[in-house]
Amino acid sequence: MRRLNRLNQYQRLWQASSGETQSVSISELAARCFCSERHMRTLLGQMQSSGWLRWQSHAGRGKRGELYLLVTPESVRREMLEQALNAGQQEDALALAQLEPDDLRALLNPFLGGLWQNDTPTLRIPYYRPLEPLRAGFLPGRAEQHLAGQIFSGLTRFVSGNFQPQGDVAHHWDISPDGLCWRFHLRATLHWHNGDPVTAGQLQAQLQHLLTLSALQKFFASVNTIEVTHPWCLTFTLHQPDYWLAHRLASYGSRLAHPQHPTLGTGPFRLVTFSRELVRLESHDYYHLNHPLLKAVEYWITPQLFEQDLGTSCRHPVQIAIGKVDELRHLQPVSNSTSLGFCYLALRPGSRLNAAQLRRVVQIIHHSTLLQTLPLDENLITPSRELLPGWQMPDWPTQQVPLPEKLTLLYHLPVELHTMAEQLRLHLATLGCELTVIFHDGKNWEGCTQLASADMMMGDRLIGEAPQSTLEQWLRCDPLWPSLLGASAFGHLQATLDAVQRQPDEESRNRALQAVFYTLMDDAVLTPLFNYQYRISAPPGVEGVHLNTRGWFDFAEAWLPPPAR
């Protein structure tokens, strides 16, 4: 990058005298900058034209001249950063920002949060880690799940404050009396992000592709065929009724990309840049619903800004700050809520733990001060005895049964479970039980080879916009359950879920699913541990920020008032 190279050369000139006037020869300057004398003269001319320095040479080969340094490297870097941003060269800007944390905070302050860049309303969010590629199917990260919903559309969608699926690419749908035929009526004015019109055949191809993905085969197990029965109608024929189908199609895992271009969607924002340093979205001019009020949203991947004492965390993944970095603690909390998602403990029945011992472990966690004394940031988690509001775990008479001499605990991210695992290990040691702790470095159980042998598992269950259907998906699709329950019990669970999904009345369906989870909790196979406290902070002037169920906010609803003149 030419800008950065020129800045580095200027920094070398500055460092030799800490900015003081220098009496120096061209050959000495060339040696400092690792270039030829001819190129050094060119550099001096360019820097002088830019107003960075003044070079007063003296006639004669090898003569010393006077070098007057007029601006600091920090001010040059800031000017270059602004030039790169004004030119739409965000990656160049981030390359210029590779500094130590304290210097980086000072440099980036004027450019983060919400601002009008070249008369374009832009929101910049400093983020603590690179984002993983967006692909069809389930995604492990909360940020990736949210991005999928901003870039891609589904046949149906969820809207804030409503657990019922709404129309998206399909504006309406109807269901046959026997529940085996679902017709989705498509909007006639759909466009991909590149401006091409959307066809029903393209959507059919993408939906059929979803059915081939191993992660989604159980999710859509009831689907027999998907046909284009009219240029603006897709018809699903099912093996058996599935009244979760509209919910399943509204899931982030069912969003539809262009068949030939997997980064193109039909959502409110199109993906412009996706790298380890920068993710940039721009509004989609042909979006079929309410158009975004922001033109651009950028994630600036700057992990060096954030504290490292929480492992892979920044402030924390569930607490997002979108303002200037040195004012993070002074930003105004604009939205907060308790997550519906939860961290959980799952226990393997019938192995080293009998029924009484399973309940004993659950009672140790919930009847002791173990959860209340976790040394975590204040207001980050809330201990919970409910899977969902009203889905209360059972309470049994206290049983002081001895535990096995040895047990194994397997857990994955989030980082709070590091602390939880260690606290549990120490507590069980006082009861004569040696707990071996194994960490699976992932956000879910995919690819975990130790899952089949552990006695206890801890993980995180993200809950989407429709809590009940999300939990039903968890039981159907997560590799935890066949490993934990065994073939016979897992087969019985799947048959029970099939019976639940055949109930057309949603209230009855939700009650039946709640009974399934109550049985798992009553058998002490599953227990909730804690919920997160989601929080978004923003500076004054960023409007329309409201938390969604994933701890993010709909970019299409955020807006910036114009700057005061």
Side-chain angles (χ1 to χ4, degrees):
M1 173 188 168
R2 189 170 298 175
R3 280 194 186 96
L4 184 59
N5 290 336
R6 191 175 299 174
L7 172 63
N8 290 337
Q9 299 286 43
Y10 183 70
Q11 195 142 5
R12 293 187 182 102
L13 300 179
W14 178 277
Q15 288 172 344
S17 65
S18 299
E20 297 296 323
T21 300
Q22 302 172 28
S23 178
V24 64
S25 68
I26 286 288
S27 61
E28 291 171 333
L29 293 176
R32 286 181 201 164
C33 294
F34 307 103
C35 64
S36 67
E37 293 184 18
R38 179 179 179 181
H39 184 60
M40 191 67 239
R41 290 189 178 90
T42 301
L43 281 177
L44 289 173
Q46 292 171 341
M47 293 176 184
Q48 185 160 283
S49 297
S50 299
W52 300 357
L53 55 77
R54 181 161 58 87
W55 168 245
Q56 186 174 327
S57 62
H58 296 291
R61 183 173 179 82
K63 291 287 186 178
R64 306 175 79 81
E66 275 68 52
L67 180 65
Y68 302 89
L69 302 172
L70 306 179
V71 293
T72 66
E74 290 74 21
S75 63
V76 171
R77 189 184 296 266
R78 189 174 294 108
E79 177 188 0
M80 285 184 163
L81 181 65
E82 187 161 9
Q83 289 172 353
L85 290 172
N86 288 336
Q89 299 166 336
Q90 284 80 5
E91 291 187 273
D92 281 3
L94 281 169
L96 285 161
Q98 299 306 306
L99 295 170
E100 291 300 314
D102 288 344
D103 295 330
L104 184 59
R105 286 186 179 92
L107 178 67
L108 293 186
N109 264 349
F111 305 106
L112 293 175
L115 71 163
W116 289 74
Q117 188 79 43
N118 289 342
D119 294 328
T120 297
T122 302
L123 185 64
R124 293 196 178 100
I125 303 171
Y127 204 59
Y128 74 105
R129 64 170 175 86
L131 295 172
E132 298 174 20
L134 303 180
R135 51 178 173 74
F138 297 135
L139 298 166
R142 185 180 285 109
E144 287 81 1
Q145 293 178 11
H146 175 68
L147 267 183
Q150 303 295 298
I151 297 170
F152 305 105
S153 303
L155 287 184
T156 57
R157 67 182 184 126
F158 292 111
V159 298
S160 298
N162 192 338
F163 293 159
Q164 299 298 318
Q166 308 294 309
D168 194 352
V169 169
H171 55 84
H172 288 86
W173 62 94
D174 53 65
I175 310 167
S176 64
D178 61 5
L180 295 177
C181 181
W182 294 57
R183 295 192 306 165
F184 291 86
H185 305 282
L186 306 178
R187 300 179 191 272
T189 56
L190 299 169
H191 290 81
W192 298 107
H193 288 156
N194 62 0
D196 291 346
V198 175
T199 68
Q202 290 173 319
L203 300 180
Q204 177 200 31
Q206 283 303 93
L207 287 163
Q208 290 176 330
H209 171 64
L210 292 180
L211 300 186
T212 68
L213 301 177
S214 58
L216 292 180
Q217 285 175 350
K218 294 177 182 177
F219 197 46
F220 289 110
S222 299
V223 176
N224 183 20
T225 62
I226 306 172
E227 298 176 290
V228 179
T229 51
H230 180 274
W232 300 110
C233 181
L234 288 175
T235 298
F236 285 65
T237 304
L238 308 186
H239 295 290
Q240 61 178 343
D242 180 7
Y243 289 95
W244 294 118
L245 182 60
H247 296 73
R248 301 190 198 284
L249 292 169
S251 162
Y252 75 87
S254 304
R255 301 299 171 99
L256 302 173
H258 191 289
Q260 282 78 48
H261 306 287
T263 62
L264 293 183
T266 58
F269 287 89
R270 60 190 181 94
L271 187 62
V272 176
T273 303
F274 193 99
S275 70
R276 290 185 59 83
E277 296 80 25
L278 175 73
V279 174
R280 179 177 169 88
L281 312 179
E282 293 182 1
S283 60
H284 176 28
D285 293 338
Y286 299 99
Y287 185 48
H288 51 277
L289 298 173
N290 291 337
H291 282 236
L293 303 173
L294 292 172
K295 178 60 179 176
V297 177
E298 294 176 355
Y299 292 72
W300 283 29
I301 314 301
T302 49
Q304 65 270 43
L305 282 179
F306 301 110
E307 299 172 355
Q308 300 301 312
D309 57 353
L310 289 178
T312 60
S313 184
C314 51
R315 286 168 63 83
H316 194 276
V318 301
Q319 297 183 355
I320 300 166
I322 58 177
K324 296 180 174 64
V325 180
D326 68 348
E327 298 175 355
L328 287 180
R329 297 182 181 179
H330 306 294
L331 298 177
Q332 300 173 0
V334 295
S335 193
N336 62 81
S337 68
T338 300
S339 69
L340 288 177
F342 50 83
C343 283
Y344 64 87
L345 174 70
L347 302 172
R348 187 182 303 280
S351 177
R352 283 193 279 190
L353 291 162
N354 61 36
Q357 290 170 327
L358 291 172
R359 290 183 172 184
R360 172 73 171 131
V361 172
V362 172
Q363 288 176 329
I364 287 170
I365 289 172
H366 287 285
H367 291 179
S368 69
T369 59
L370 192 63
L371 288 169
Q372 286 76 13
T373 58
L374 289 179
L376 301 170
D377 280 0
E378 185 180 0
N379 297 325
L380 180 62
I381 65 170
T382 299
S384 177
R385 295 174 59 85
E386 296 180 318
L387 284 182
L388 293 177
W391 291 28
Q392 187 82 15
M393 62 174 286
D395 205 0
W396 316 286
T398 302
Q399 295 179 308
Q400 299 293 337
V401 296
L403 296 176
E405 292 182 1
K406 294 185 177 182
L407 290 171
T408 301
L409 170 67
L410 175 68
Y411 72 100
H412 63 62
L413 292 170
V415 293
E416 286 70 37
L417 294 183
H418 290 316
T419 305
M420 181 69 196
E422 180 61 14
Q423 292 281 85
L424 187 58
R425 186 188 69 81
L426 294 174
H427 191 92
L428 292 188
T430 66
L431 303 176
C433 176
E434 178 185 339
L435 184 65
T436 300
V437 174
I438 302 171
F439 172 58
H440 170 60
D441 190 7
K443 296 174 184 172
N444 56 33
W445 298 118
E446 294 295 333
C448 181
T449 57
Q450 299 102 329
L451 193 57
S453 58
D455 304 298
M456 309 161 65
M457 282 72 73
M458 289 196 305
D460 182 24
R461 181 64 250 166
L462 300 180
I463 297 294
E465 294 84 352
Q468 290 85 0
S469 65
T470 302
L471 287 180
E472 195 269 357
Q473 169 217 307
W474 185 34
L475 293 183
R476 279 198 181 276
C477 303
D478 198 297
L480 168 70
W481 298 106
S483 174
L484 186 69
L485 299 176
S488 177
F490 183 68
H492 176 73
L493 174 63
Q494 296 299 296
T496 303
L497 295 177
D498 287 345
V500 171
Q501 76 176 32
R502 287 195 289 266
Q503 300 191 37
D505 177 67
E506 178 138 12
E507 187 175 341
S508 300
R509 199 163 62 246
N510 289 343
R511 283 199 305 267
L513 184 67
Q514 181 179 356
V516 173
F517 275 96
Y518 184 86
T519 299
L520 291 171
M521 290 191 289
D522 193 44
D523 291 340
V525 171
L526 173 68
T527 188
L529 297 175
F530 52 81
N531 302 101
Y532 284 112
Q533 293 299 314
Y534 286 156
R535 184 163 66 234
I536 291 181
S537 301
V542 180
E543 306 290 346
V545 174
H546 306 288
L547 271 168
N548 62 23
T549 55
R550 288 189 172 82
W552 282 86
F553 59 98
D554 190 344
F555 294 159
E557 295 180 359
W559 62 281
L560 305 175
R565 294 190 179 276

